[in-house]
């Protein structure tokens, strides 16, 4: 993750790299299961965009389980791919 990461979580909260790491470190966010369902990658010069649909379970204050989409923007900085931006949203299935 880039030091200047900007991430928007499924609650619409804007997080920095340190805030994201602290959520895991503190135990407030703990993943207990992850299953990648679909992934797409688009390469653009020194930038890559990925979208990934996952089934997640864990604890974020309270237990959760569901499908989520993650979008990540990666940038090649001095030969290293780093996440510079990300976004997460829950998947809803229409009836």
């Amino acid at each position: 993750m880039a030091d200047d990461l900007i991430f928007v979580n499924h609650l619409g909260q804007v997080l920095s790299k340190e805030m994201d790491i602290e959520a895991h470190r503190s135990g407030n966010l703990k993943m207990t299961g992850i299953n990648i369902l679909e992934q797409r990658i688009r390469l653009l010069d020194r930038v890559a965009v990925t979208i990934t649909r996952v089934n997640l379970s864990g604890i974020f204050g309270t237990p959760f389980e569901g499908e989520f989409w993650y979008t990540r923007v990666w940038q090649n900085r001095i030969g290293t791919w780093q996440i510079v931006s990300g976004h997460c949203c829950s998947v809803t299935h229409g009836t």
Side-chain angles (χ1 to χ4, degrees), residues 6-79:
I6 299 171
F7 180 73
V8 179
N9 69 15
H10 68 292
L11 300 174
Q13 299 166 326
V14 179
L15 306 176
S16 66
K17 174 183 177 178
E18 185 55 39
M19 292 166 74
D20 186 40
I21 291 171
E22 182 56 30
H24 290 274
R25 184 184 303 135
S26 68
N28 189 40
L29 174 58
K30 182 179 179 183
M31 302 296 186
T32 58
I34 182 169
N35 183 26
I36 297 174
L37 305 171
E38 180 180 353
Q39 186 170 62
R40 299 178 198 173
I41 301 169
R42 169 147 312 157
L43 296 174
L44 308 163
D45 294 324
R46 293 183 22 227
V47 174
V49 177
T50 62
I51 60 169
T52 308
R53 186 170 58 100
V54 298
N55 190 303
L56 290 178
S57 60
I59 299 170
F60 188 56
T62 59
F64 70 89
E65 182 174 355
E67 282 186 31
F68 298 87
W69 277 107
Y70 282 86
T71 302
R72 290 193 174 104
V73 178
W74 300 73
Q75 184 179 34
N76 193 324
R77 294 181 173 181
I78 313 170

